[in-house]
């Protein structure tokens, strides 16, 4: 079993890279984002965000890579 060397409330995450492809505009109604982890590691995380409009059409696809930092 892995022991955490620090308090999990003190861990910070900062963005390393973000990419977004806007596929369709949305001028009325709601845009809903579904986020799913692509990679959850000890020091990095990658998340995929898919955004759709009220009609279920994809409006944007985004991906963010984050660094997980230990407390100072």
């Amino acid at each position: 079993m892995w022991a955490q060397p620090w308090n999990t409330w003190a861990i910070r995450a900062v963005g390393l890279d973000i990419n977004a492809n806007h596929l369709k505009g949305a001028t009325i109604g709601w845009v809903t984002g579904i986020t799913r982890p692509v990679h959850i590691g000890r020091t990095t995380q990658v998340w995929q965000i898919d955004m759709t409009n009220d009609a279920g059409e994809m409006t944007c696809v985004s991906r963010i890579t984050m660094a997980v930092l230990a407390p100072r």
Side-chain angles (χ1 to χ4, degrees):
M1 173 162 240
W2 182 69
Q4 290 180 317
W6 54 74
N7 178 354
T8 54
W9 291 105
I11 294 173
R12 298 172 291 138
V14 295
L16 291 176
D17 181 58
I18 190 165
N19 176 292
N21 293 308
H22 299 279
L23 308 172
K24 185 176 201 140
T27 56
I28 59 170
W30 289 89
V31 174
T32 303
I34 304 294
T35 305
R36 67 178 178 84
V38 176
H39 167 76
I40 301 293
R42 189 174 54 83
T43 58
T44 60
Q45 296 183 0
V46 179
W47 293 83
Q48 174 80 26
I49 306 106
D50 296 325
M51 290 164 251
T52 57
N53 61 17
D54 282 337
E57 301 167 321
M58 189 74 66
T59 59
C60 182
V61 177
S62 183
R63 182 177 286 212
I64 185 168
T65 302
M66 304 186 74
V68 179
L69 303 176
R72 295 182 193 179

